[in-house]
Amino acid sequence: MTFLINGYWLKTIKYTMNSQNIPDWTGVLGLLKYGVIYTIGLFIIGIIFQSPFYMILLAQIVLNLPDLGILSNLPYVCSFLSWVYIPLGTLNYIEKNKFLALFNVKKSFKRYSKEYINYLVASFLLIGIYSIFELLIGYLIELVIDKVVTNPNLITDPNFLSWQIFWIPALYVNSFVCFTIFLWLSRGIGTYYNISTGRNDVLTK
């Protein structure tokens, strides 16, 4: 499912770069293909950005160095940098239609601008709101499970079960919110491309 969604994300960004509306889900096999390739690329980007931490950790083990101290927070810094980089690298990948374009760090950061910071702030807020919403649902579900574990008789209580039916639409709402945010973010980075380049011409392939 992740591959399919990533493929659709790429297609949505490309459509937005071409000043087109939200795409449909036709060509599922094509979406899966590009989704798999893109997901592999994201995995490699994660390794690249985390490599400084891995190198320090390896040196600590081999040389028997003391605790990393403040450097133990390096993975979070590396993750943040990769989060900043990925949308820009994605634009390169779509624009050039070449896998290696995803790793063109120099060109990617040339796209960095004040407008991109606005996009990142909006992304952070949207993802933060969704994360809080998801944590709340998870916490409430965990409470229900704990109650059933401590009191198994609740599983046959009609009053208790009638309340649990609300979790079904709640989970659907959670999925809908997640997909909507994902759609906004993909449309947003495609719109940023048009703003930053001043281009509205149709990209080939």
Short mmCIF file of all heavy atoms in Angstrom, two decimals, residues 37-70:
data_model
loop_
_atom_site.label_atom_id
_atom_site.label_comp_id
_atom_site.label_asym_id
_atom_site.label_seq_id
_atom_site.Cartn_x
_atom_site.Cartn_y
_atom_site.Cartn_z
N ILE A 37 10.28 2.32 -6.81
CA ILE A 37 11.55 2.99 -7.11
C ILE A 37 11.76 4.17 -6.17
O ILE A 37 12.86 4.36 -5.61
CB ILE A 37 11.57 3.47 -8.57
CG1 ILE A 37 11.55 2.27 -9.52
CG2 ILE A 37 12.81 4.34 -8.84
CD1 ILE A 37 11.39 2.64 -10.97
N TYR A 38 10.70 4.95 -5.98
CA TYR A 38 10.80 6.14 -5.12
C TYR A 38 11.04 5.75 -3.67
O TYR A 38 11.85 6.39 -2.97
CB TYR A 38 9.52 6.95 -5.25
CG TYR A 38 9.50 8.23 -4.45
CD1 TYR A 38 10.39 9.27 -4.73
CD2 TYR A 38 8.60 8.41 -3.40
CE1 TYR A 38 10.38 10.45 -4.00
CE2 TYR A 38 8.58 9.58 -2.67
CZ TYR A 38 9.46 10.59 -2.98
OH TYR A 38 9.44 11.76 -2.24
N THR A 39 10.38 4.70 -3.20
CA THR A 39 10.55 4.26 -1.81
C THR A 39 11.98 3.78 -1.58
O THR A 39 12.57 4.04 -0.52
CB THR A 39 9.56 3.13 -1.48
OG1 THR A 39 8.22 3.59 -1.71
CG2 THR A 39 9.69 2.70 -0.02
N ILE A 40 12.54 3.07 -2.55
CA ILE A 40 13.95 2.66 -2.45
C ILE A 40 14.85 3.90 -2.36
O ILE A 40 15.79 3.94 -1.57
CB ILE A 40 14.34 1.80 -3.67
CG1 ILE A 40 13.61 0.46 -3.62
CG2 ILE A 40 15.86 1.57 -3.70
CD1 ILE A 40 13.79 -0.40 -4.86
N GLY A 41 14.52 4.91 -3.17
CA GLY A 41 15.29 6.16 -3.13
C GLY A 41 15.22 6.83 -1.78
O GLY A 41 16.23 7.32 -1.26
N LEU A 42 14.02 6.84 -1.19
CA LEU A 42 13.86 7.45 0.15
C LEU A 42 14.68 6.69 1.19
O LEU A 42 15.25 7.30 2.10
CB LEU A 42 12.38 7.44 0.55
CG LEU A 42 11.44 8.33 -0.27
CD1 LEU A 42 10.02 8.23 0.29
CD2 LEU A 42 11.90 9.78 -0.27
N PHE A 43 14.72 5.37 1.05
CA PHE A 43 15.50 4.54 1.98
C PHE A 43 16.98 4.89 1.88
O PHE A 43 17.68 5.04 2.89
CB PHE A 43 15.27 3.05 1.67
CG PHE A 43 16.08 2.12 2.51
CD1 PHE A 43 15.76 1.91 3.85
CD2 PHE A 43 17.18 1.47 1.98
CE1 PHE A 43 16.51 1.05 4.64
CE2 PHE A 43 17.94 0.61 2.76
CZ PHE A 43 17.60 0.40 4.09
N ILE A 44 17.46 5.05 0.65
CA ILE A 44 18.87 5.40 0.43
C ILE A 44 19.17 6.79 0.98
O ILE A 44 20.22 7.02 1.60
CB ILE A 44 19.22 5.32 -1.07
CG1 ILE A 44 19.09 3.88 -1.57
CG2 ILE A 44 20.63 5.84 -1.33
CD1 ILE A 44 19.25 3.73 -3.06
N ILE A 45 18.25 7.74 0.76
CA ILE A 45 18.43 9.09 1.29
C ILE A 45 18.53 9.05 2.82
O ILE A 45 19.36 9.75 3.42
CB ILE A 45 17.26 10.00 0.87
CG1 ILE A 45 17.37 10.34 -0.62
CG2 ILE A 45 17.24 11.30 1.69
CD1 ILE A 45 16.19 11.12 -1.16
N GLY A 46 17.69 8.23 3.44
CA GLY A 46 17.74 8.09 4.90
C GLY A 46 19.10 7.61 5.36
O GLY A 46 19.65 8.13 6.34
N ILE A 47 19.66 6.62 4.65
CA ILE A 47 20.98 6.10 5.01
C ILE A 47 22.05 7.18 4.83
O ILE A 47 22.93 7.35 5.68
CB ILE A 47 21.31 4.87 4.15
CG1 ILE A 47 20.38 3.71 4.51
CG2 ILE A 47 22.77 4.46 4.34
CD1 ILE A 47 20.57 2.48 3.66
N ILE A 48 21.96 7.92 3.71
CA ILE A 48 22.96 8.96 3.42
C ILE A 48 22.96 10.03 4.51
O ILE A 48 24.02 10.43 5.02
CB ILE A 48 22.69 9.60 2.04
CG1 ILE A 48 22.96 8.59 0.93
CG2 ILE A 48 23.55 10.85 1.85
CD1 ILE A 48 22.56 9.07 -0.45
N PHE A 49 21.79 10.50 4.87
CA PHE A 49 21.72 11.58 5.85
C PHE A 49 22.05 11.11 7.27
O PHE A 49 22.49 11.90 8.10
CB PHE A 49 20.32 12.22 5.83
CG PHE A 49 20.17 13.29 4.78
CD1 PHE A 49 19.81 12.97 3.50
CD2 PHE A 49 20.42 14.63 5.09
CE1 PHE A 49 19.69 13.95 2.52
CE2 PHE A 49 20.30 15.61 4.12
CZ PHE A 49 19.93 15.28 2.83
N GLN A 50 21.85 9.82 7.54
CA GLN A 50 22.17 9.30 8.87
C GLN A 50 23.61 8.80 8.95
O GLN A 50 24.09 8.46 10.04
CB GLN A 50 21.22 8.15 9.23
CG GLN A 50 19.79 8.56 9.48
CD GLN A 50 19.62 9.36 10.75
OE1 GLN A 50 20.49 9.39 11.62
NE2 GLN A 50 18.49 10.05 10.88
N SER A 51 24.32 8.77 7.81
CA SER A 51 25.68 8.22 7.79
C SER A 51 26.65 8.91 8.75
O SER A 51 27.50 8.23 9.35
CB SER A 51 26.25 8.25 6.36
OG SER A 51 26.26 9.56 5.85
N PRO A 52 26.56 10.26 8.96
CA PRO A 52 27.48 10.87 9.95
C PRO A 52 27.31 10.26 11.34
O PRO A 52 28.31 10.01 12.04
CB PRO A 52 27.07 12.35 9.94
CG PRO A 52 26.49 12.57 8.59
CD PRO A 52 25.77 11.30 8.27
N PHE A 53 26.08 10.00 11.73
CA PHE A 53 25.85 9.40 13.04
C PHE A 53 26.39 7.98 13.09
O PHE A 53 27.02 7.58 14.09
CB PHE A 53 24.36 9.41 13.37
CG PHE A 53 24.01 8.66 14.62
CD1 PHE A 53 24.31 9.19 15.87
CD2 PHE A 53 23.42 7.41 14.56
CE1 PHE A 53 24.00 8.50 17.04
CE2 PHE A 53 23.11 6.71 15.72
CZ PHE A 53 23.40 7.26 16.96
N TYR A 54 26.15 7.21 12.02
CA TYR A 54 26.64 5.83 11.99
C TYR A 54 28.17 5.79 12.06
O TYR A 54 28.75 4.93 12.73
CB TYR A 54 26.17 5.13 10.71
CG TYR A 54 24.67 4.97 10.60
CD1 TYR A 54 24.02 5.09 9.38
CD2 TYR A 54 23.91 4.68 11.73
CE1 TYR A 54 22.64 4.94 9.27
CE2 TYR A 54 22.54 4.53 11.64
CZ TYR A 54 21.90 4.67 10.41
OH TYR A 54 20.54 4.52 10.32
N MET A 55 28.82 6.74 11.38
CA MET A 55 30.28 6.78 11.39
C MET A 55 30.81 7.11 12.78
O MET A 55 31.78 6.51 13.25
CB MET A 55 30.77 7.81 10.37
CG MET A 55 30.49 7.43 8.92
SD MET A 55 30.89 8.74 7.74
CE MET A 55 32.66 8.84 7.96
N ILE A 56 30.16 8.06 13.45
CA ILE A 56 30.57 8.42 14.81
C ILE A 56 30.34 7.26 15.76
O ILE A 56 31.17 6.95 16.63
CB ILE A 56 29.81 9.67 15.29
CG1 ILE A 56 30.23 10.90 14.46
CG2 ILE A 56 30.07 9.93 16.78
CD1 ILE A 56 29.43 12.15 14.76
N LEU A 57 29.19 6.59 15.58
CA LEU A 57 28.86 5.44 16.44
C LEU A 57 29.86 4.32 16.23
O LEU A 57 30.31 3.68 17.19
CB LEU A 57 27.44 4.96 16.13
CG LEU A 57 26.89 3.85 17.03
CD1 LEU A 57 26.79 4.34 18.47
CD2 LEU A 57 25.52 3.41 16.53
N LEU A 58 30.24 4.08 14.97
CA LEU A 58 31.24 3.04 14.67
C LEU A 58 32.59 3.39 15.29
O LEU A 58 33.26 2.52 15.87
CB LEU A 58 31.37 2.89 13.15
CG LEU A 58 32.38 1.84 12.67
CD1 LEU A 58 31.96 0.45 13.13
CD2 LEU A 58 32.49 1.86 11.14
N ALA A 59 32.96 4.66 15.19
CA ALA A 59 34.23 5.10 15.78
C ALA A 59 34.20 4.93 17.30
O ALA A 59 35.22 4.54 17.91
CB ALA A 59 34.48 6.56 15.42
N GLN A 60 33.06 5.18 17.90
CA GLN A 60 32.92 5.03 19.35
C GLN A 60 33.11 3.57 19.75
O GLN A 60 33.77 3.28 20.76
CB GLN A 60 31.54 5.51 19.79
CG GLN A 60 31.33 5.42 21.31
CD GLN A 60 29.88 5.65 21.70
OE1 GLN A 60 28.98 5.43 20.90
NE2 GLN A 60 29.66 6.10 22.91
N ILE A 61 32.54 2.66 18.95
CA ILE A 61 32.65 1.23 19.27
C ILE A 61 34.07 0.73 19.04
O ILE A 61 34.65 0.04 19.89
CB ILE A 61 31.65 0.42 18.41
CG1 ILE A 61 30.21 0.81 18.78
CG2 ILE A 61 31.87 -1.07 18.60
CD1 ILE A 61 29.17 0.20 17.87
N VAL A 62 34.64 1.09 17.89
CA VAL A 62 35.98 0.59 17.53
C VAL A 62 37.06 1.17 18.44
O VAL A 62 37.96 0.45 18.91
CB VAL A 62 36.29 0.93 16.06
CG1 VAL A 62 37.74 0.57 15.73
CG2 VAL A 62 35.34 0.19 15.13
N LEU A 63 36.97 2.47 18.71
CA LEU A 63 38.00 3.15 19.50
C LEU A 63 37.67 3.19 20.99
O LEU A 63 38.43 3.76 21.78
CB LEU A 63 38.20 4.58 18.98
CG LEU A 63 38.59 4.71 17.51
CD1 LEU A 63 38.67 6.17 17.11
CD2 LEU A 63 39.93 4.00 17.27
N ASN A 64 36.52 2.60 21.35
CA ASN A 64 36.09 2.55 22.75
C ASN A 64 36.03 3.96 23.36
O ASN A 64 36.55 4.22 24.45
CB ASN A 64 37.04 1.66 23.56
CG ASN A 64 36.42 1.29 24.90
OD1 ASN A 64 35.20 1.26 25.06
ND2 ASN A 64 37.29 1.02 25.88
N LEU A 65 35.38 4.87 22.62
CA LEU A 65 35.25 6.25 23.08
C LEU A 65 34.17 6.37 24.13
O LEU A 65 33.29 5.50 24.23
CB LEU A 65 34.94 7.16 21.88
CG LEU A 65 36.00 7.21 20.77
CD1 LEU A 65 35.49 8.05 19.60
CD2 LEU A 65 37.30 7.78 21.30
N PRO A 66 34.17 7.44 24.92
CA PRO A 66 33.13 7.63 25.93
C PRO A 66 31.78 7.93 25.28
O PRO A 66 31.65 8.01 24.06
CB PRO A 66 33.63 8.84 26.73
CG PRO A 66 34.53 9.56 25.79
CD PRO A 66 35.18 8.50 24.95
N ASP A 67 30.76 8.11 26.12
CA ASP A 67 29.40 8.38 25.65
C ASP A 67 29.37 9.57 24.69
O ASP A 67 30.14 10.52 24.83
CB ASP A 67 28.49 8.66 26.85
CG ASP A 67 27.04 8.83 26.43
OD1 ASP A 67 26.47 7.85 25.94
OD2 ASP A 67 26.51 9.95 26.57
N LEU A 68 28.48 9.50 23.70
CA LEU A 68 28.41 10.53 22.68
C LEU A 68 27.98 11.89 23.21
O LEU A 68 28.25 12.92 22.62
CB LEU A 68 27.43 10.10 21.57
CG LEU A 68 27.86 8.90 20.73
CD1 LEU A 68 26.75 8.54 19.77
CD2 LEU A 68 29.14 9.21 19.97
N GLY A 69 27.30 11.90 24.34
CA GLY A 69 26.84 13.17 24.91
C GLY A 69 25.84 13.86 24.01
O GLY A 69 24.87 13.27 23.56
N ILE A 70 26.13 15.11 23.69
CA ILE A 70 25.21 15.90 22.87
C ILE A 70 25.07 15.33 21.46
O ILE A 70 24.05 15.53 20.79
CB ILE A 70 25.69 17.37 22.81
CG1 ILE A 70 24.56 18.25 22.24
CG2 ILE A 70 26.97 17.50 21.98
CD1 ILE A 70 24.86 19.73 22.33
#
